[in-house]
């Protein structure tokens, strides 16, 4: 049996993408098992692999680990991406929760009804620019270090880069007013494991498009 973690999810970013990012950043090879149909999901449920009948699930160290945040936390802890003490961990958690909130706003855009999409996007980009990104810019400015927490590479850096790139897909100049986030983006993108993940052919998934929705909806609904 392979010692590599195995990720069960559909072939799309969704809730699994940050887990892919964290494993890749840690330099961990992983396998993916894509759900293509409702029957694939039903089979995992029948196998007893899904605690709450939901994915993501990661097969790791002989267990089936569910719940996105739990999987991400355990990767961060296992690969030393989670700070050196409780205070650093709390800071990392606070920054990551903000990132998750922003990511959720951006990721739910395509799922809005047609007449609500424009407003949803405007609100999301306004919050990105005026609520979330200023926080990370200020953190970097105040301590003057290369990484968000403890002058050391952590999951907060990985997940911030992920959401910065997602936000740029919606608004390419969204970092215009944030010079430190621009240099942060360049610096973290250049870390060898991340550089590799950003190259074509990696397990990073492309942005979701309208045409992908029916394929995904038939699995989960
Ligand atoms: O974060 C988590 O892993 C859980 N708290 C939620 C997982 C979840 O909602 N999974 C969805 C697919 S991913 N997209 O939203 C799921 O398995 N839906 C099927 C169902 O029956 O809930």
């Amino acid at each position: 049996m392979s010692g590599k973690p195995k990720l069960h999810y559909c072939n799309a970013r969704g809730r699994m993408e940050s887990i892919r990012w964290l494993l890749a950043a840690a330099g961990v090879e992983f396998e993916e098992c894509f759900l293509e149909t409702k029957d694939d999901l039903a089979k995992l449920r029948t196998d007893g692999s899904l605690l709450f009948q939901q994915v993501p699930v990661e097969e790791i160290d002989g267990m089936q680990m569910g719940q996105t945040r739990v999987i991400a936390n355990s990767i961060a802890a296992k690969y030393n991406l989670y700070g050196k003490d409780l205070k650093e961990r709390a800071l990392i958690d606070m920054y990551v929760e903000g990132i998750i909130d922003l990511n959720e706003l951006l990721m739910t855009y395509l799922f809005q009804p047609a007449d609500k999409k424009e407003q949803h996007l405007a609100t999301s980009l306004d919050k990105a620019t005026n609520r979330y990104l200023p926080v990370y810019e200020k953190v970097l400015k105040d301590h003057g270090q290369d990484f968000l927490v403890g002058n050391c590479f952590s999951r907060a850096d990985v997940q911030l880069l992920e959401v910065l790139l997602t936000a740029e897909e919606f608004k390419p100049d969204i970092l215009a007013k944030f010079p430190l986030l621009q240099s942060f983006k360049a610096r973290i993108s250049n870390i060898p494991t991340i550089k590799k993940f950003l190259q074509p052919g990696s397990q990073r998934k492309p942005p979701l498009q309208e045409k992908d929705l029916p394929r995904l909806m038939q699995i989960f609904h």
Side-chain angles (χ1 to χ4, degrees), residues 9-10 14-15 41 45 50 52-56 66-69 71 219-220:
Y9 199 67
C10 41
R15 292 179 199 265
L41 181 59
R45 287 173 169 162
L50 308 181
F52 297 108
Q53 316 305 318
Q54 294 177 313
V55 287
Q67 293 293 354
T68 313
R69 279 172 165 79
I71 301 169
I219 301 173
F220 295 113

Side-chain angles (χ1 to χ4, degrees), residues 57-119:
V57 72
E58 180 191 34
E59 274 182 55
I60 175 81
D61 298 335
M63 79 177 283
Q64 311 274 357
M65 192 183 294
Q67 293 293 354
T68 313
R69 279 172 165 79
V70 174
I71 301 169
N73 293 352
S74 93
I75 295 166
K78 184 168 178 177
Y79 297 104
N80 204 20
L81 295 169
Y82 220 164
K84 67 172 175 343
D85 54 29
L86 279 177
K87 194 172 170 190
E88 284 193 1
R89 185 169 290 208
L91 281 173
I92 290 170
D93 281 338
M94 281 159 53
Y95 298 158
V96 166
E97 288 299 318
I99 291 163
I100 290 172
D101 289 344
L102 173 56
N103 202 35
E104 180 94 10
L105 285 172
L106 298 171
M107 300 291 284
T108 49
Y109 163 71
L110 270 188
F111 296 92
Q112 303 303 310
D115 62 335
K116 299 269 190 324
K117 275 200 167 71
E118 199 181 327
Q119 184 57 49

Side-chain angles (χ1 to χ4, degrees), residues 126-145:
D126 177 62
K127 282 191 177 157
T129 308
N130 296 309
R131 177 181 295 182
Y132 293 104
L133 298 187
V135 169
Y136 304 104
E137 180 81 7
K138 183 172 185 312
V139 169
L140 293 169
K141 185 160 193 259
D142 286 352
H143 64 32
Q145 295 166 353

